[in-house]
Amino acid sequence: MILTVPKKGLHTRANVMGQLAERTHTLMTGQTNATLLQEVVIEEVPEAMRPTVHYLQKESTRLNKIPRKLYTSYEKMAAKAPALWQEARQKK
């Protein structure tokens, strides 16, 4: 499913997605988050929450390998891509 974004809103949406990505990166790579994720005793976590804990641990590790600016730029481009692709297809 492709979301149609008005042309005038494309850059605003991309900037908002960039800000969210930057904030996410900051939170996921921060020392507090790293400490909490390291201290988790998986056996003490309710079984329904274990996949979430594993996801957060993997995501934190992944984001620590990516510079914040690069991640933010990528997310901005990814937010613009569907609309730009749709426009290019219409122009053939």
Side-chain angles (χ1 to χ4, degrees):
M1 178 172 95
I2 296 178
L3 299 174
T4 306
V5 178
K7 278 189 173 186
K8 291 182 180 180
L10 182 61
H11 294 289
T12 301
R13 181 178 185 274
N15 286 335
V16 169
M17 294 303 290
Q19 289 173 356
L20 289 172
E22 184 174 2
R23 186 70 179 137
T24 299
H25 191 283
T26 300
L27 290 171
M28 290 297 291
T29 60
Q31 187 58 43
T32 302
N33 188 56
T35 303
L36 289 172
L37 289 173
Q38 287 174 357
E39 291 177 355
V40 170
V41 177
I42 201 70
E43 291 77 24
E44 294 177 8
V45 175
E47 189 147 349
M49 294 298 294
R50 290 179 189 174
T52 302
V53 172
H54 286 296
Y55 170 78
L56 290 172
Q57 289 170 333
K58 286 174 68 173
E59 189 68 5
S60 179
T61 300
R62 183 181 77 85
L63 288 176
N64 271 307
K65 297 175 183 176
I66 303 171
R68 184 177 298 125
K69 280 189 174 186
L70 180 63
Y71 182 71
T72 302
S73 297
Y74 172 81
E75 290 296 329
K76 281 183 179 181
M77 284 189 292
K80 291 179 184 179
L84 296 176
W85 177 250
Q86 185 177 27
E87 181 182 328
R89 284 192 52 112
Q90 288 173 351
K91 290 181 180 179
K92 295 186 182 182

